[in-house]
Amino acid sequence: MKIFRRVLAIFAVLAVSFRAVGSFLSWAQRQDDAPADAWIDEDEDEFEDA
């Protein structure tokens, strides 16, 4: 019974770890997309003012 609980705990930790890594990668991808758009928009506004 003790071994079964340890194996179950290992699977639970692995599942939470994979979910955390997936969430982080999704967040990082959204962060990579946002600044690029902001810089492009800012440059376009600068050219319009000139």
Side-chain angles (χ1 to χ4, degrees):
M1 193 64 180
K2 192 175 188 178
I3 293 173
F4 177 72
R5 278 190 274 168
R6 286 188 180 180
V7 170
L8 187 61
I10 289 171
F11 280 122
V13 168
L14 286 174
V16 170
S17 298
F18 278 119
R19 185 171 178 152
V21 169
S23 295
F24 173 75
L25 292 176
S26 176
W27 172 82
Q29 185 177 11
R30 285 192 310 260
Q31 297 301 313
D32 286 343
D33 292 344
D37 292 341
W39 284 106
I40 290 169
D41 291 340
E42 185 176 309
D43 291 341
E44 288 174 358
D45 291 342
E46 201 172 287
F47 287 124
E48 287 176 2
D49 292 341

